[in-house]
């Protein structure tokens, strides 16, 4: 079936991101910490009513933007050092921190 083909094609991304579902991959692609990606992915799947059109990074991003701090608190592990607000901020700030780090890296000049 199409769903089985999609799942097989998503397997390398699941391995790379260290998660076990397609929905969790979408969460990881939106910088959600691995420790919260499975729970938020399950919530995303439930709220999307298993609609196959949910397999969109943009739709997952919109879902994440609408989550409350309480939702993030429920998604984080019980023994997490950060609270829900911290988890939310860590996912948002990573791309900005990575871009800043890349700006500071000086690449060697080549003769090309």
């Amino acid at each position: 079936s199409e769903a089985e083909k999609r799942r097989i094609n998503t397997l390398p991304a699941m391995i790379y991101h260290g998660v076990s579902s397609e929905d969790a991959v979408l969460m990881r692609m939106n910088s959600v910490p691995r420790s919260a990606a499975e729970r938020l992915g399950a919530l995303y799947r439930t709220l999307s009513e298993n609609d196959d059109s949910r397999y969109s990074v943009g739709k997952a991003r919109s879902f994440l933007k609408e989550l409350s701090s309480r939702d993030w608190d429920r998604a984080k592990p019980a023994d997490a050092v950060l609270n829900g607000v911290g988890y939310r901020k860590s996912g948002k700030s990573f791309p900005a921190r990575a871009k800043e780090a890349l700006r500071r890296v000086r690449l060697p000049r080549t003769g090309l």
Side-chain angles (χ1 to χ4, degrees), residues 7-93:
R7 185 158 172 85
I8 289 169
N9 289 335
T10 309
L11 187 60
M14 288 184 215
I15 293 167
Y16 176 80
H17 289 292
V19 294
S20 62
S21 73
E22 296 164 275
D23 300 290
V25 168
L26 287 170
M27 299 301 111
R28 294 288 292 138
M29 291 174 75
N30 279 290
S31 302
V32 170
R34 184 177 294 120
S35 55
E38 294 287 352
R39 286 188 180 121
L40 288 177
L43 178 62
Y44 179 61
R45 180 176 45 252
T46 300
L47 294 177
S48 300
E49 299 175 344
N50 289 320
D51 179 9
D52 281 349
S53 71
R54 76 181 184 275
Y55 296 113
S56 156
V57 175
K59 284 185 179 186
R61 185 177 305 118
S62 295
F63 160 78
L64 290 168
K65 285 180 181 178
E66 293 179 15
L67 291 177
S68 68
S69 295
R70 188 174 179 195
D71 294 327
W72 282 91
D73 271 329
R74 281 187 242 139
K76 71 177 183 61
D79 61 347
V81 176
L82 294 175
N83 62 13
V85 174
Y87 260 74
R88 181 180 216 165
K89 287 182 179 178
S90 70
K92 285 182 178 179
S93 64

